[in-house]
């Protein structure tokens, strides 16, 4: 799905919102501060927004197959995660609904 065409995705993605919040809650039980975080398959930014609201992150890098608006202002990598090199020195690599897609 190309998220630039999915105008109401966030509004109707109830399962994805629940998954993002549950994942961040689980992460919070172990740690709340991270120097460098890499999100695989950020899409429209559902998980990204929860990460930024609930965790202290110094540097966030985002990846997706297609560029989305949430990627503006962050280090971003466009492309298939299986074919690109991830940044080095990461404290957390996270992904959520990318596995469903």
């Amino acid at each position: 799905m190309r998220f630039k065409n999915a105008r109401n995705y966030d509004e109707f993605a109830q399962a994805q919102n629940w998954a993002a919040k549950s994942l961040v809650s689980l992460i919070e039980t172990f740690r709340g501060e991270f120097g460098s975080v890499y999100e695989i398959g950020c899409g429209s930014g559902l998980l990204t927004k929860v990460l930024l609201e609930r965790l202290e992150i110094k540097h966030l890098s985002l990846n997706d197959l297609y560029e989305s608006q949430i990627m503006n202002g962050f280090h971003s990598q466009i492309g298939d995660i299986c074919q690109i090199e991830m940044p080095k020195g990461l404290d957390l690599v996270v992904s959520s609904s990318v596995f469903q897609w």
Side-chain angles (χ1 to χ4, degrees), residues 9-71:
Y9 179 81
D10 289 2
E11 181 181 345
F12 295 104
Q14 294 176 1
Q16 292 82 356
N17 274 307
W18 177 85
K21 290 175 183 175
S22 296
L23 179 58
V24 174
S25 289
L26 182 61
I27 293 168
E28 284 178 310
T29 64
F30 295 99
R31 192 166 159 191
E33 297 178 23
F34 296 91
S36 186
V37 176
Y38 188 83
E39 181 184 352
I40 300 170
C42 68
S44 65
L46 290 174
L47 177 59
T48 310
K49 292 170 191 168
V50 178
L51 287 168
L52 292 170
E53 287 172 5
R54 298 188 23 198
L55 300 177
E56 186 176 321
I57 300 171
K58 291 182 182 172
H59 180 74
L60 178 63
S61 297
L62 303 175
N63 156 265
D64 205 277
L65 292 173
Y66 307 102
E67 188 174 7
S68 63
Q69 192 172 27
I70 193 73
M71 296 171 111

